[in-house]
Amino acid sequence: MFSSDGKAPVVQPRDDAGEVHVFRDFERSRIMAIRRAISADPALYTFWFLSVVIVWTVLMSAGAAMHGPNLPAINLTTHVAHFTIILGFFLYPLRLAWIPALSYLLVFLYPFYQPLSNAQPWHEIEGLTTQVVAALFAINLGFGLVQGLIYRAAFQLAQSRLRAHTTDLFLCLASFVVFALVGALQIGVTDRYALLLDAPLRAAMGFDAHFAELAMNRSLRGSAVVAAFLLAAIEYPRASQVLPTIGVMAMFPLLSVIQSQGFVLYAPLDTLALAAVVVFVLPVRVTVFGVLGGIALYAAVTGEFLNELPPADPAHRMLETYALLAIALLLVALAVQSHTEHLLGEKNAAIAKLSRARDFAGVGLFAINRSSGLFRLDDAARRMLSLPDQGDMATLRDSLTVEDAATLSRAMMAGAEPARELWLNTRSGLALHVFLWTETAPSGDPVAYGILLDATVAKERETRLREALDELSLRQERQRQLFSIVSHELRTPASVMSILIDDLPEATDRTRLFRQMREAADQLLSVLGDMRQTVNPEQNLPVKRVSYVPAELAESLRNTLELTAKDHGVTLTVALGAGAGKARIGDVMRLRQALTNLMRNAVIHSRGTVVRLNFTAQPPATEGGPPISQWQVEDDGIGIAPDQVERLFQPFERGEDPRRSADGSGLGLFIARQSVEMLGGTLEYYQPLRGGAGYMLRLPEPLADESTPRPAAKPPAAKAPPPRPRSLRPWTVVLAEDNTLVADVTRARLERLGATVRVAENGAAALNMVAEQAPDILITDLFMPELDGDDLVRRLRKQGYSRPVVGLTAAVVGEEMLRFRRAGTNVVMQKPLDFGELERLMTEGFPAAAEPAAP
């Protein structure tokens, strides 16, 4: 809605609530829309304005001149086209007020010269001079301008207090009252002016004893005309209503024909009665134009409402009064009809929008007569349930699952809660959230009304969220187990090493002591390796298939685990079937790891006395496929409880309570299966006939021909002795390490290899050292004070340092190695530093560094 100037927005007052307020149309005053349209395109709308004014003036002037005395005094107080100046001055912007003023001048003069007349033409009245005509025009123009200003003020006042359509209707009714009051003043002024005229001229023009009464009747009818024109501007017919409107107009001239045949009581009242019937039967957009146009045609044909003659008797005066009252009531009826239809249309539009909103949101409505067992559904509910819009309860229950059909039946039973909330599932798979309440219908039947919400998506999201929370909870539990295991497994070998170090000064068997220290260190590094492989399996070594002989691998595994088995009182046996001596192609490193984990797990945890390793060659699983290498590891121990079998290959699982075992990370079986599946094989648990536990490992491995190279046989796994320095050229190293002990040990080993080492206790110090004198190699830890290792490398690369960089980290279970690679290191090593590998790289060359990536 807009203010009276057509620009500033006006907030419409709120007189309703809820969805009607939200979904009703944003109204605009149609009268204001006309004012804005005239201001935007005055030429077009002036054409239509003048067309209406001219047609109206010609018809009304002709009707008055053809069927009565047509005296100027009555017909100019007020003028037949008085609405021209009133509505023109109200609707046109002030800068264009000259257009309605000039138009009014033209139509004002028309009755003086109009050709269709049975009375004396006005311009032939003796003594009617230009001055008299000008004075009468000035009186009409002045009072018309006053009314236009009052309309403007009333409209602007109503805009801030009423809604748009109500404002328009208010102006229509206010215009009737204002016209009548200002018209009465105009009659008085005109009557006083007539006293200045000569008596013969006053008599010829109609200024007599009946002037005031007749002029007031005319003014009241003029009031209705102005109000009707404003109402017509609000309620104009739509394209589909044009023909019915023309039909209504034609009814009134037809009435004049019927009346001419003598079927008449009192012509004006008969006409108004017909108009009232039309108003109460047809839509307001048809009746306003139809009645206004029809009465205008009727008046032009018959002269009724235009023939200003004094009442012949009191009865005639009473009928005239009733006719004026009927005009006023008819106008009020049109306004009420307009307001009622507008409210109904607004409510229906709001309901339609609400229905679309509910449909879009998956909200349906239903009603169930609990006495008759009949239901009714709206469109949304019908689509949800795939049912017709009405039916019986049996049909409704059949659309639900068996359990939820029973739930709905219980909710419909007598004595059930009057309002409740249900969750129902349809046979088609929809999840429905139902809000149900019961009311007593006017018939006395209890009727349950309800809302259906399509909660399928919400349920799916809830399920996914619950699964995600369960997964998160599982991960948190595994993380807790991980930290518990890390704490235990790292503390155990570290404690052993601490004890051995304390025994070192007094030890007599130093060979045994060093071996025990090496075993403790190996156990510590093995736990860290298991952690890394579990957390970051993508960082494992790539699959590398080489030729190997199963019999040799089996013997090597027995030799490797023999000391551990002896310590636990276990005997290792190997049973080799046919084909064990033939070379096969496989990833012997991963196969060794998997079999070692299985055998070590049996030795340590089975509580048995014998662990058997079997190999048999099996035919291909599929036609044309490679033969199958089948390995079996069995023990004669306590076995695995049936309810624990499913958990065997889960990470961090070590029986019912992971704290009962003295050692082991709980990752052995998980890593074994992971390695086997990476090679396309399977690893399964089975129950041996002789008791205990058994594991069957099956791998597709083709046979190797004689030309396939085989790796050199390796002795049982043992830690290589410290590398001896070779004759290398002098080289310089900057070692960035914040741990003083690690830095001292590492520097001593590097110096034995002939390096000149400078130690930086943090990343910032290393950055300065490299800037002062670039070393041949930079070896840096990851987590350091002031500047982390990856940031150090990234900065050095940006500064142009292009020599080899070795990233060193003890955090083998995270993303630290990837951080180093992204920063631009040449090599990433896990602590402790592999000096043999470093010496090899110094001799053979370092791999190229990757381009540094953004952090």
Side-chain angles (χ1 to χ4, degrees):
M1 190 172 178
F2 291 81
S3 63
S4 58
D5 60 4
K7 296 180 180 179
V10 175
V11 177
Q12 298 178 2
R14 176 176 174 178
D15 56 6
D16 50 23
E19 65 276 2
V20 175
H21 171 68
V22 175
F23 286 109
R24 78 177 186 212
D25 293 330
F26 286 88
E27 296 182 64
R28 282 189 179 181
S29 165
R30 291 173 183 166
I31 291 178
M32 178 54 67
I34 294 174
R35 296 178 68 179
R36 298 182 67 205
I38 292 174
S39 179
D41 192 354
L44 175 62
Y45 288 93
T46 296
F47 169 78
W48 290 111
F49 179 70
L50 285 177
S51 299
V52 173
V53 168
I54 291 171
V55 171
W56 182 268
T57 303
V58 170
L59 288 176
M60 296 301 100
S61 298
M66 295 292 292
H67 301 283
N70 192 32
L71 298 175
I74 307 302
N75 286 284
L76 293 177
T77 314
T78 58
H79 191 278
V80 68
H82 197 49
F83 69 89
T84 305
I85 188 61
I86 298 173
L87 297 184
F89 192 66
F90 168 64
L91 295 174
Y92 275 78
L94 294 179
R95 61 184 174 85
L96 299 176
W98 61 270
I99 295 178
L102 180 59
S103 302
Y104 186 52
L105 174 61
L106 296 177
V107 295
F108 183 85
L109 296 176
Y110 175 78
F112 287 86
Y113 299 96
Q114 69 101 11
L116 303 174
S117 176
N118 290 329
Q120 180 184 13
W122 292 357
H123 67 280
E124 296 180 0
I125 297 177
E126 186 177 353
L128 185 60
T129 63
T130 304
Q131 290 79 6
V132 175
V133 174
L136 294 174
F137 175 74
I139 292 172
N140 277 275
L141 179 64
F143 280 97
L145 292 176
V146 169
Q147 290 191 56
L149 287 174
I150 294 174
Y151 288 6
R152 280 177 173 267
F155 187 70
Q156 186 171 3
L157 183 67
Q159 274 188 300
S160 60
R161 292 168 173 77
L162 302 174
R163 288 171 50 189
H165 189 266
T166 308
T167 299
D168 291 345
L169 292 180
F170 167 79
L171 184 66
C172 294
L173 297 178
S175 68
F176 180 88
V177 177
V178 171
F179 194 106
L181 295 176
V182 176
L185 292 176
Q186 182 177 344
I187 293 170
V189 172
T190 304
D191 193 29
R192 293 186 64 85
Y193 171 73
L195 297 175
L196 302 177
L197 303 177
D198 296 335
L201 180 59
R202 290 202 305 272
M205 294 183 67
F207 288 105
D208 55 18
H210 300 286
F211 165 73
E213 179 184 0
L214 297 177
M216 195 63 210
N217 290 343
R218 180 180 180 83
S219 179
L220 290 174
R221 288 192 291 269
S223 301
V225 170
V226 172
F229 271 117
L230 286 173
L231 192 59
I234 300 172
E235 300 290 359
Y236 50 86
R238 303 188 186 278
S240 61
Q241 296 172 324
V242 171
L243 289 179
T245 302
I246 295 174
V248 171
M249 289 183 183
M251 294 169 62
F252 291 89
L254 181 60
L255 176 64
S256 69
V257 175
I258 296 174
Q259 289 175 340
S260 66
Q261 301 301 315
F263 297 97
V264 58
L265 296 176
Y266 181 66
L269 286 177
D270 293 345
T271 306
L272 294 172
L274 175 61
V277 172
V278 171
V279 167
F280 287 106
V281 171
L282 298 178
V284 68
R285 287 181 177 269
V286 173
T287 57
V288 173
F289 261 79
V291 169
L292 180 60
I295 291 179
L297 292 174
Y298 177 84
V301 171
T302 64
E304 297 292 344
F305 304 105
L306 301 173
N307 189 2
E308 306 298 349
L309 294 174
D313 50 51
H316 186 275
R317 178 176 280 106
M318 184 179 295
L319 290 173
E320 182 70 20
T321 302
Y322 286 160
L324 292 174
L325 182 61
I327 290 174
L329 292 176
L330 183 64
L331 183 65
V332 171
L334 285 170
V336 170
Q337 185 186 26
S338 173
H339 186 63
T340 302
E341 290 189 10
H342 176 76
L343 291 180
L344 288 176
E346 193 175 61
K347 299 285 186 183
N348 291 336
I351 291 173
K353 294 184 181 73
L354 179 60
S355 296
R356 286 195 293 271
R358 287 191 294 100
D359 194 18
F360 180 78
V363 179
L365 302 178
F366 69 92
I368 302 174
N369 188 316
R370 293 169 59 174
S371 296
S372 63
L374 300 178
F375 70 83
R376 291 184 301 194
L377 307 175
D378 72 346
D379 290 341
R382 187 166 50 83
R383 285 194 299 272
M384 292 181 203
L385 297 171
S386 301
L387 294 177
D389 56 359
Q390 57 186 350
D392 55 27
M393 277 295 295
T395 304
L396 181 58
R397 286 193 296 267
D398 288 343
S399 68
L400 305 175
T401 61
V402 175
E403 180 180 353
D404 291 334
T407 300
L408 181 62
S409 297
R410 288 193 296 270
M412 293 294 103
M413 294 174 62
E417 297 179 14
R420 60 187 307 178
E421 179 181 358
L422 303 174
W423 284 95
L424 303 177
N425 296 281
T426 68
R427 293 183 182 273
S428 61
L430 294 182
L432 302 179
H433 196 183
V434 182
F435 298 90
L436 189 71
W437 70 94
T438 301
E439 297 180 5
T440 301
S443 62
D445 293 337
V447 178
Y449 299 94
I451 297 175
L452 294 177
L453 300 179
D454 186 351
T456 305
V457 175
K459 274 288 189 181
E460 291 174 354
R461 290 176 179 171
E462 180 182 354
T463 301
R464 290 196 297 268
L465 178 60
R466 187 181 298 110
E467 291 174 352
L469 290 176
D470 292 342
E471 177 66 21
L472 179 60
S473 177
L474 179 60
R475 289 185 180 183
Q476 289 178 334
E477 176 61 22
R478 288 181 176 178
Q479 186 180 57
R480 184 193 64 78
Q481 293 179 9
L482 172 63
F483 285 119
S484 174
I485 291 170
V486 168
S487 174
H488 175 269
E489 299 303 327
L490 296 184
R491 179 177 296 275
T492 299
S495 300
V496 171
M497 293 178 69
S498 176
I499 295 172
L500 294 175
I501 291 172
D502 291 339
D503 292 345
L504 187 60
E506 301 176 0
T508 56
D509 188 357
R510 294 203 170 209
T511 300
R512 180 188 59 80
L513 187 64
F514 287 147
R515 180 177 61 80
Q516 292 173 335
M517 291 181 66
R518 172 56 60 194
E519 290 178 355
D522 288 344
Q523 182 181 353
L524 179 63
L525 295 176
S526 175
V527 171
L528 292 175
D530 287 350
M531 299 298 175
R532 179 190 60 78
Q533 184 166 343
T534 303
V535 177
N536 290 322
E538 68 277 1
Q539 295 183 2
N540 293 338
L541 294 176
V543 174
K544 184 178 181 181
R545 302 182 188 275
V546 296
S547 174
Y548 79 98
V549 176
E552 296 177 357
L553 176 59
E555 188 63 25
S556 174
L557 290 170
R558 180 171 61 180
N559 294 336
T560 301
L561 296 171
E562 188 172 9
L563 291 178
T564 304
K566 186 176 181 181
D567 290 342
H568 287 80
V570 175
T571 302
L572 296 179
T573 64
V574 174
L576 302 176
K582 294 183 178 180
R584 295 170 177 264
I585 298 177
D587 190 333
V588 68
M589 181 179 297
R590 281 189 170 79
L591 178 57
R592 177 187 293 273
Q593 180 187 41
L595 292 173
T596 299
N597 284 346
L598 293 174
M599 295 178 68
R600 185 189 299 275
N601 189 67
V603 167
I604 296 175
H605 301 294
S606 69
R607 302 181 188 176
T609 58
V610 177
V611 172
R612 293 176 293 275
L613 175 63
N614 303 330
F615 174 84
T616 56
Q618 300 291 331
T622 58
E623 185 177 355
I628 301 298
S629 299
Q630 179 173 296
W631 297 85
Q632 292 172 272
V633 176
E634 298 180 356
D635 63 64
D636 60 350
I638 59 176
I640 306 295
D643 60 342
Q644 298 294 313
V645 171
E646 292 185 0
R647 301 171 52 192
L648 278 178
F649 296 99
Q650 295 297 319
F652 311 119
E653 294 291 345
R654 299 185 296 178
E656 293 183 0
D657 188 349
R659 293 168 295 181
R660 291 182 182 175
S661 179
D663 59 1
S665 64
L667 297 172
L669 294 179
F670 172 76
I671 292 174
R673 172 175 277 187
Q674 189 180 63
S675 298
V676 171
E677 290 179 347
M678 187 179 296
L679 300 177
T682 60
L683 175 59
E684 302 294 339
Y685 169 83
Y686 67 93
Q687 179 72 48
L689 296 176
R690 290 170 290 186
Y695 298 91
M696 180 180 294
L697 187 158
R698 291 169 58 86
L699 284 174
E701 293 179 329
L703 296 175
D705 55 33
E706 296 182 356
S707 62
T708 304
R710 291 178 52 192
K714 294 184 178 180
K719 190 69 177 183
R724 296 182 180 179
R726 299 184 181 179
S727 124
L728 298 174
R729 63 175 178 80
W731 50 299
T732 59
V733 177
V734 167
L735 175 62
E737 174 59 67
D738 60 317
N739 188 298
T740 303
L741 176 60
V742 174
D744 289 343
V745 173
T746 305
R747 179 174 60 181
R749 295 289 297 273
L750 290 172
E751 288 176 347
R752 289 173 57 189
L753 296 175
T756 300
V757 183
R758 290 181 294 163
V759 177
E761 66 276 7
N762 57 62
L767 186 65
N768 294 331
M769 285 185 182
V770 174
E772 293 172 0
Q773 183 178 357
D776 295 318
I777 299 176
L778 169 65
I779 302 176
T780 175
D781 191 12
L782 180 60
F783 298 111
M784 294 186 295
E786 298 190 29
L787 188 67
D788 282 340
D790 57 335
D791 291 330
L792 167 64
V793 177
R794 192 174 287 107
R795 291 191 186 185
L796 289 175
R797 294 306 192 199
K798 287 183 178 180
Q799 295 174 4
Y801 182 77
S802 59
R803 297 180 180 179
V805 176
V806 176
L808 197 61
T809 177
V812 297
V813 295
E815 299 293 330
E816 289 75 16
M817 301 181 75
L818 182 58
R819 285 175 57 181
F820 262 139
R821 292 191 181 97
R822 288 176 175 173
T825 57
N826 298 79
V827 176
V828 182
M829 294 186 181
Q830 299 172 12
K831 291 183 179 180
L833 180 61
D834 189 336
F835 294 96
E837 179 66 10
L838 180 62
E839 185 177 5
R840 184 189 68 78
L841 292 172
M842 284 293 298
T843 304
E844 301 178 3
F846 284 83
E851 289 294 329

